[in-house]
Every structure is written in C-alpha cells, then in structure tokens.
Amino acid sequence: MILTVTLNTALDITYRVRSLRPHASHRVSEVTERPGGKGLNVGRVLAALGHEVTVTGFTGGATGRQVGELLAGTPRVQDALVPVAGATRRTIAVVDTTTGDTTQLNEPGPEITPAEWAALQETYERLLRSASAVALCGSLPPGVPVGAYAQLVRTARALAVPVLLDTSGEPLRRGVAARPDIVKPNADELAELTGSHEPLQAARNVRRRGAYAVVASLGPEGLLAHTPDGHWRARPPVRAHGNPTGAGDSAVAGLLSGLVENLPWPDRLARAVALSAATVAAPTAGEFDRPLYESLLDRVTVTTEAAAA
C-alpha cells in the first residue's frame, strides 16, 4: 500500500466557459467536482496505475462529506481522512475553452486545533506500518505547525518507509532538513529555497541540506533529477497544451510508483514526464489522458546531465 498525506484537502470544482472576461457574467458549459488537494490527486493517479492507495489528511463539514462520498467511488483508494470541526476548503478552476487558459481560486482551509493535529499524527504513524512508501503533499491549513512536514518525514524515516515531500516555502525548507528520500519542487520553489536560478546547482544545494534526491519540475521543459545514482534531464517529446492543474501531482505519482516498483531513475523520470504531459492535455483538471500517456511513455527523452560545480 502507498500512503499519501494531504493536510489541506479540497473539493476541486472546474467550470468551463467559452471566454473568461473580467466584470462580465458567464454561462458555464460544464461543471466537474472531484476530491482534491495534492496528495489526493497523487493517490488517484497511483490507483489508476494499479497501486493500492490509502489517503489521509483532514476533512470536515459538508464539503468534507462530499469529498468522502466521491472518494468512496474511486477504485483502489482507501479513505483514512481524519475528521475536524472546520470545513474542508474548495478550489475553483475556471477554464476558458477558447484560449485554454485556467484561472484558479483557492480557499485557505479550516483552522486545525492541536488535538486534531495530534489525531492526524497518530493515524499517520499507524498507517505507515503497512505502507511501502509515503507522499507528503501540498500546503498547510491554518493551525498546523510550520514544521509539520519535517515531523512527518522523521516519523517515516524512523519506520524505514521511503518518503517523498512536495510542498513549498518554509515547510519545504524545514522538511528538507529532516532528510526525505525525494523532494519535488518546481523551478520557482527551488529558486526560493536556495537563491539560485540555475536548477542543477540549486538541486545540488538542496541535497547538501538533507534531501537524498531532488527532482525539479521545469514545467513544459520536463524534469531535472539530482540523485546519488546520477543526474538526468527528462523532456517530453511534444509540448502539451491545456490545463496544467495537477500535472505536478501526476509527476509525483510517477516518481513514487517507480520507487516502489524498483525502476531505475531514467524509467521513473520518463513515467513522471509522460503522466504530467497527459494530465495537461486531459479535459478535466487533475485527470490524465491514458492513451496519450501510453503513447508518450517510450518517446520521453532522458539524458545525463553533467554534475553541478
């Protein structure tokens, strides 16, 4: 079983409109709703790849109940979300079908009490005991300590469970110091963390700070990996057009599935890039186009990078 942790779960709502214009009324042509938050997105993609997944994090209120109902219909995904008094947030994606551009509105999430945070940690440690790997993903809701991910990384390491961290800002900085097996920042997050805009040099810096391996997302340019086994750049064969929402989460699912399947790094990176591109091209935010993924997988270019100085 692969465990994913989403401390700030959401109900993702996608509206499709013909043309998004400021200060105008719009007729919505299509609405979709699905469980959201980065770790839930990762879990759904892992399940689609054939892995058994358990998801945990916080859930509350009417929105939280709706998230649970939607999760119940997802094959191979086990719901272990921890109830809280506050209401699960909503995220709104408005897709302009003429341009393909997406506008995102994200609520902050519920206020988490110390007792609720303690309950999450207890659930997490119990679930880790039967997990083959864990992904810690996304933002922190109000009330959760800024060092939360560092603490969860240390718990996973104590139980010898490989851990991937995908967050940003101060939670990322503290989490890196706890020595996760993989961190997956995007280029902006990597630059913010290290002060360097040269991705390979910045990735080397993050490894020096404690991460075992760093995989940086470079958007449409693919992924850059700095690991103890080597350094690689993975590029998609074509530039994907569409909604990038969830593309990074699909990359995380590709990396984590490759880890538990003991794939070599180039194969993990090719899978992650193909999944990411197929997510951008999918009509619904956060899903992936399986035929496109399968057609891209063998065409991703993975090359060796020279080590940063």
Side-chain angles (χ1 to χ4, degrees), residues 82-118:
V82 175
V84 298
T88 295
R89 66 187 178 131
R90 294 162 297 179
T91 65
I92 312 295
V94 184
V95 179
D96 183 320
T97 60
T98 300
T99 65
D101 292 338
T102 300
T103 299
Q104 193 84 15
L105 304 172
N106 298 327
E107 295 180 356
E111 183 80 28
I112 303 300
T113 68
E116 290 165 345
W117 170 233

Side-chain angles (χ1 to χ4, degrees), residues 267-308:
D267 291 348
R268 299 186 204 182
L269 296 168
R271 178 181 291 182
V273 166
L275 281 169
S276 182
T279 299
V280 172
T284 301
E287 305 293 339
F288 74 94
D289 182 323
R290 183 176 288 276
L292 179 60
Y293 160 66
E294 293 173 350
S295 73
L296 292 174
L297 186 57
D298 292 334
R299 296 190 289 134
V300 174
T301 301
V302 183
T303 56
T304 301
E305 291 282 299

Side-chain angles (χ1 to χ4, degrees), residues 243-288:
N243 184 357
T245 303
D249 305 329
S250 291
V252 168
L255 294 171
L256 206 59
S257 62
L259 184 154
V260 300
E261 294 171 29
N262 294 313
L263 297 181
W265 271 106
D267 291 348
R268 299 186 204 182
L269 296 168
R271 178 181 291 182
V273 166
L275 281 169
S276 182
T279 299
V280 172
T284 301
E287 305 293 339
F288 74 94

Side-chain angles (χ1 to χ4, degrees), residues 226-244:
H226 193 299
T227 84
D229 301 319
H231 319 298
W232 294 275
R233 180 76 66 95
R235 298 176 175 86
V238 295
R239 181 162 186 157
H241 296 280
N243 184 357

